[in-house]
């Protein structure tokens, strides 16, 4: 497997990454502590099967510091279509998404990528 890192935008230096198999298929991506940037578009254009991302943002945040579910719906799903499942971490509260492609991570969850 190969890891490809991308700079993200946060108060402290933050990096996300993708995991590629030997054929160059993107299996997994991790997107921590950031707001939406063009590098997230670049990550998602690789069509990861699963994205683990901080979804601490809210639609009505006065100052954006983290990605929100609305950001994923408006920006991410248009890139990945039905090819990617998003798991939210670093949460203010448990959520229920209108999309079955965006899920709230919970203790004990087991996710397998094939």
């Amino acid at each position: 497997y190969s890891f490809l890192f991308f700079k993200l935008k946060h108060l402290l230096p933050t990096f996300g990454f993708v995991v590629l198999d030997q054929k160059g298929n993107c299996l997994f991506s991790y997107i921590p502590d950031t707001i939406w940037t063009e590098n997230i578009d670049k990550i998602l254009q690789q069509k990861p099967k699963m994205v683990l991302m901080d979804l601490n943002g809210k639609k009505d945040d006065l100052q954006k510091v983290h990605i929100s579910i609305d950001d994923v719906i408006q920006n991410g799903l248009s890139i990945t279509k039905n090819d990617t499942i998003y798991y939210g971490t670093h949460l203010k509260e448990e959520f229920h998404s209108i999309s079955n492609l965006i899920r709230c991570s919970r203790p004990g969850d087991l996710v397998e990528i094939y």
Side-chain angles (χ1 to χ4, degrees), residues 55 57 67-74 95-98 102:
L55 287 177
I67 294 171
S68 69
I69 294 170
D70 291 311
D71 292 328
V72 176
I73 291 169
Q74 292 170 12
F95 66 82
H96 301 283
S97 174
I98 60 169
I102 305 170

Side-chain angles (χ1 to χ4, degrees), residues 1 4 7 16 18-19 21 23 26 34 41 46 48 51 53 55 57 60 70 72 74 81-82 84 88 94 97 111 113:
Y1 299 97
L4 180 60
K7 185 165 179 29
V18 297
V19 178
D21 67 13
K23 295 178 182 177
C26 187
T34 187
D41 291 343
Q46 299 196 40
V51 175
M53 68 188 328
L55 287 177
D60 57 355
D70 291 311
V72 176
Q74 292 170 12
K81 310 289 186 232
N82 292 324
T84 301
E94 189 172 315
S97 174
V111 178
I113 303 170

Side-chain angles (χ1 to χ4, degrees), residues 37-67:
T37 68
E38 64 185 42
N39 276 345
I40 293 174
D41 291 343
K42 290 177 185 176
I43 288 170
L44 297 179
Q45 287 165 358
Q46 299 196 40
K47 306 285 182 159
K49 291 185 178 187
M50 187 189 96
V51 175
L52 186 66
M53 68 188 328
D54 292 0
L55 287 177
N56 199 358
K58 295 286 186 183
K59 187 177 191 173
D60 57 355
D61 285 342
L62 296 178
Q63 181 175 353
K64 290 232 175 235
V65 179
H66 294 106
I67 294 171

